[in-house]
Amino acid sequence: MSSLLKDQGADSPRLHHIPRKSPFGALLSRTLPEYRGPYDVGVCDIEVPVPRQTFGNFTHKSLPGSAHVGLVIDTVLFSLFYPCEKPAKPTPTAWFPSMRQTIDGFLKMAKRTPNFMYRVLAYPVAAAAVSGMTFPANKEAPLLAPPSPTTKWPVMIFSHGAGCSRLMYSAFCGEMASRGYVVVAIEHRDGTSPSSKITAADGTSTLVDWLEWSDLEWPEMRAQPLDDQALRQVQIQLRCAEVREVLGVLGRMGRGEDVLRTSLHAPEFDWTRWVHVDPSQPVMVGHSLGGSVGLATSSQNMPFRAVVVFDPATQRLDPWRANIPHPLLVVNSEEFAVGREYAIFAEQIAGTAERARGPAVFTIPGATHPSFSDVFLILPEYINKMTGLRVQAERVLELAVDATTDFL
């Protein structure tokens, strides 16, 4: 391979150079792996105000008498990964942009109220692991024109799992963008992220931290929930609404409208270029709770070309037997495939997926449920093995991407 690369002429086809895997993950290089597709990748954040919507009817025990009931969305926030013009100088993007905010959120997820002692212990560890970590997408680079005047870039929407955020799947989203997709990674403001900041139209901001089900009271229920199932179902409702609102924003972008005029955060693009993007039939993708959202939005007849789910948390949809009308790909980890979750999934899909096509279902041997995210690409391989991962994290990503690409 090295001699072949050396002998390439200026007109030779581009060959991808696969870097040697480091046993230390990305800790030493401080950047996630390069993408394997033929296109350079750009990335940007966009936050757009939407009509206020509320979901659920619960109050916080820590806020007695509070007027805030249930979950609320006033804006939608997403990161765009897309084929971009090759920059003169690559500008990688920070993978962990709000360390203090996110660490505090993770501590709350672990049921540890952030205080001085926990911060003293957590911040140095987190800083050593991810401070300065980047992923190889060029921040706010111009959208690349499609290879043919008669073609447009297809769209993919990604829904993250509980405990994650939009950038924690940057490897998958960037890989699909490098293959010619405009990938829309939504930041769900439903209390399933460690922490997410919402900026209102007047410029004020609020934080939505991890929401613990045991901190809630449901006044309309005779008996209070004994687990997080009621909360998760409300969160799925909110996520589905966010997907629908994002579809509306993408439609405006596809018409070349300047979303900067209504966005709270958006780059100063030449928005007329975005007429080369076709958002009319996006592919819906999600992991874990995001996989549940993929199935739920499909059943709501959103205009998808296909649905792809990784380890879908189908028990979060019970009781649920709505029809799934779109072509469906399911990629499971071995951990999911041998667990109770798969039995629930198989029963649901048997009665909901279209019989004529049926779902395509694959399992990645040795993979664990969290290994679809970026985290295991960063950690050293020996730590990954301690968590139960018996295959290289890069291999999990490669198989997930290739299965998705082949299916589509």
Side-chain angles (χ1 to χ4, degrees), residues 41 102 164 168 202 210 225 261 307 402:
V41 176
T102 306
C164 295
M168 291 181 72
D202 60 4
W210 173 263
R261 299 178 187 276
V307 175
D402 289 350

Side-chain angles (χ1 to χ4, degrees), residues 31-35 40-44 80-82 84 87 90-94 134-141 167 170 173-175 177:
T31 186
L32 289 160
E34 294 288 334
Y35 306 130
D40 289 281
V41 176
V43 65
C44 71
L80 287 173
F81 293 78
Y82 53 90
C84 74
T91 55
T93 303
T134 62
F135 58 91
N138 299 283
K139 191 171 181 61
E140 300 184 2
L167 293 181
S170 72
C173 294
E175 283 287 354

